[in-house]
Amino acid sequence: MRERSDEALVAAWSDGSMAAFEALYARYRGPLYRYFLRLSGDAARANDLYQGCWEKVIRARRRYRPTGPFRAWLFRIAHNHAMDGFRRAAPETDLSDADAPSTQPGPVEHTAAAERTARLAAALDGLPPEQRDAMLLKLEGGLDLESIAHVTGVGRETAKSRLRYATARLKHALSGDSSE
């Protein structure tokens, strides 16, 4: 059976189908939450942003027009909601606390994976906010370059530059150069 497009689900949802909403919610639950978690670095704040974003999506569903992908529309709302939240509140925690390795003993592979995850989180946290946002929209949101430019309100070349610089910084940070 063929999966329904996002746009078809939004249309059905706007017409009152809760099953369509549940399908959209299930499809974007993980990527959207991870976007907020990595952007904020704090699980509690990510939960608040996530819930607030869905509230805005629910209120705006009838205004959605399929002139562009639903994914881009959703992450535009998410981006704007997060930026509004960050402007209202000062940062409270850093990513190292949110992504601390488990205290349970495990095999060497688990430890190595946790260290890689922590290094990636630290590297993402070390990016300038504009570069981090663009990279998270790509990694967690699965957005293409045009959509990232649209979501962040910048030109295509600016979005491309932000991704290029973010990629270079992440490669450098993760290349094994752990001098701090």
mmCIF file of all heavy atoms in Angstrom, residues 10 15 34 42 50 62-63 82 125 140 172:
data_model
loop_
_atom_site.group_PDB
_atom_site.id
_atom_site.type_symbol
_atom_site.label_atom_id
_atom_site.label_comp_id
_atom_site.label_asym_id
_atom_site.label_seq_id
_atom_site.Cartn_x
_atom_site.Cartn_y
_atom_site.Cartn_z
ATOM 1 N N VAL A 10 -2.509 16.555 5.293
ATOM 2 C CA VAL A 10 -2.906 17.856 5.829
ATOM 3 C C VAL A 10 -4.308 18.216 5.342
ATOM 4 O O VAL A 10 -5.134 18.713 6.119
ATOM 5 C CB VAL A 10 -1.901 18.968 5.437
ATOM 6 C CG1 VAL A 10 -2.418 20.333 5.838
ATOM 7 C CG2 VAL A 10 -0.551 18.727 6.085
ATOM 8 N N ASP A 15 -9.948 18.706 6.988
ATOM 9 C CA ASP A 15 -11.352 18.328 6.816
ATOM 10 C C ASP A 15 -11.882 17.527 7.997
ATOM 11 O O ASP A 15 -13.012 17.039 7.943
ATOM 12 C CB ASP A 15 -11.529 17.531 5.524
ATOM 13 C CG ASP A 15 -11.359 18.397 4.289
ATOM 14 O OD1 ASP A 15 -11.515 19.634 4.405
ATOM 15 O OD2 ASP A 15 -11.059 17.849 3.216
ATOM 16 N N ARG A 34 14.034 15.847 17.794
ATOM 17 C CA ARG A 34 15.503 15.868 17.755
ATOM 18 C C ARG A 34 16.024 17.238 17.327
ATOM 19 O O ARG A 34 17.047 17.709 17.833
ATOM 20 C CB ARG A 34 16.033 14.775 16.833
ATOM 21 C CG ARG A 34 15.931 13.386 17.430
ATOM 22 C CD ARG A 34 16.664 12.353 16.589
ATOM 23 N NE ARG A 34 16.245 12.333 15.205
ATOM 24 C CZ ARG A 34 15.252 11.596 14.718
ATOM 25 N NH1 ARG A 34 14.567 10.806 15.526
ATOM 26 N NH2 ARG A 34 14.956 11.644 13.439
ATOM 27 N N ASP A 42 18.731 20.902 25.765
ATOM 28 C CA ASP A 42 18.080 20.634 27.040
ATOM 29 C C ASP A 42 16.761 19.908 26.780
ATOM 30 O O ASP A 42 15.903 20.430 26.052
ATOM 31 C CB ASP A 42 17.825 21.965 27.767
ATOM 32 C CG ASP A 42 17.073 21.798 29.063
ATOM 33 O OD1 ASP A 42 17.537 21.037 29.921
ATOM 34 O OD2 ASP A 42 16.017 22.450 29.212
ATOM 35 N N TYR A 50 8.755 21.640 21.473
ATOM 36 C CA TYR A 50 8.058 20.640 20.659
ATOM 37 C C TYR A 50 6.547 20.768 20.816
ATOM 38 O O TYR A 50 5.817 20.847 19.822
ATOM 39 C CB TYR A 50 8.549 19.256 21.085
ATOM 40 C CG TYR A 50 7.884 18.097 20.405
ATOM 41 C CD1 TYR A 50 8.262 17.716 19.124
ATOM 42 C CD2 TYR A 50 6.897 17.373 21.041
ATOM 43 C CE1 TYR A 50 7.662 16.644 18.498
ATOM 44 C CE2 TYR A 50 6.287 16.296 20.419
ATOM 45 C CZ TYR A 50 6.675 15.935 19.152
ATOM 46 O OH TYR A 50 6.076 14.878 18.529
ATOM 47 N N ARG A 62 -5.293 25.133 8.774
ATOM 48 C CA ARG A 62 -6.193 25.541 7.692
ATOM 49 C C ARG A 62 -5.569 26.613 6.798
ATOM 50 O O ARG A 62 -6.054 26.866 5.705
ATOM 51 C CB ARG A 62 -7.522 26.011 8.270
ATOM 52 C CG ARG A 62 -8.353 24.844 8.770
ATOM 53 C CD ARG A 62 -9.765 25.255 9.147
ATOM 54 N NE ARG A 62 -10.571 24.104 9.479
ATOM 55 C CZ ARG A 62 -10.590 23.491 10.664
ATOM 56 N NH1 ARG A 62 -9.803 23.923 11.627
ATOM 57 N NH2 ARG A 62 -11.362 22.452 10.884
ATOM 58 N N ARG A 63 -4.505 27.234 7.280
ATOM 59 C CA ARG A 63 -3.809 28.250 6.473
ATOM 60 C C ARG A 63 -2.725 27.641 5.582
ATOM 61 O O ARG A 63 -2.158 28.325 4.741
ATOM 62 C CB ARG A 63 -3.197 29.316 7.379
ATOM 63 C CG ARG A 63 -4.253 30.190 8.047
ATOM 64 C CD ARG A 63 -3.657 31.406 8.717
ATOM 65 N NE ARG A 63 -2.581 31.131 9.649
ATOM 66 C CZ ARG A 63 -2.724 30.946 10.954
ATOM 67 N NH1 ARG A 63 -3.934 31.008 11.496
ATOM 68 N NH2 ARG A 63 -1.692 30.710 11.732
ATOM 69 N N ALA A 82 11.283 28.321 17.833
ATOM 70 C CA ALA A 82 12.518 28.194 18.618
ATOM 71 C C ALA A 82 13.229 29.535 18.753
ATOM 72 O O ALA A 82 13.673 29.904 19.851
ATOM 73 C CB ALA A 82 13.447 27.170 17.979
ATOM 74 N N ASP A 125 27.327 22.156 19.235
ATOM 75 C CA ASP A 125 27.159 23.256 20.180
ATOM 76 C C ASP A 125 28.187 24.359 19.935
ATOM 77 O O ASP A 125 27.920 25.528 20.202
ATOM 78 C CB ASP A 125 27.275 22.743 21.618
ATOM 79 C CG ASP A 125 26.860 23.771 22.633
ATOM 80 O OD1 ASP A 125 25.846 24.464 22.401
ATOM 81 O OD2 ASP A 125 27.542 23.886 23.669
ATOM 82 N N GLU A 140 18.332 16.822 10.965
ATOM 83 C CA GLU A 140 17.137 16.365 11.670
ATOM 84 C C GLU A 140 15.863 16.614 10.891
ATOM 85 O O GLU A 140 14.941 15.815 10.951
ATOM 86 C CB GLU A 140 17.034 17.036 13.048
ATOM 87 C CG GLU A 140 18.169 16.696 13.983
ATOM 88 C CD GLU A 140 18.282 15.220 14.306
ATOM 89 O OE1 GLU A 140 17.354 14.435 14.036
ATOM 90 O OE2 GLU A 140 19.331 14.836 14.839
ATOM 91 N N HIS A 172 36.438 19.250 11.100
ATOM 92 C CA HIS A 172 37.644 19.589 11.865
ATOM 93 C C HIS A 172 37.517 19.147 13.321
ATOM 94 O O HIS A 172 38.429 18.559 13.887
ATOM 95 C CB HIS A 172 37.926 21.085 11.778
ATOM 96 C CG HIS A 172 39.115 21.516 12.590
ATOM 97 N ND1 HIS A 172 40.406 21.247 12.206
ATOM 98 C CD2 HIS A 172 39.199 22.147 13.787
ATOM 99 C CE1 HIS A 172 41.235 21.698 13.134
ATOM 100 N NE2 HIS A 172 40.529 22.270 14.091
#
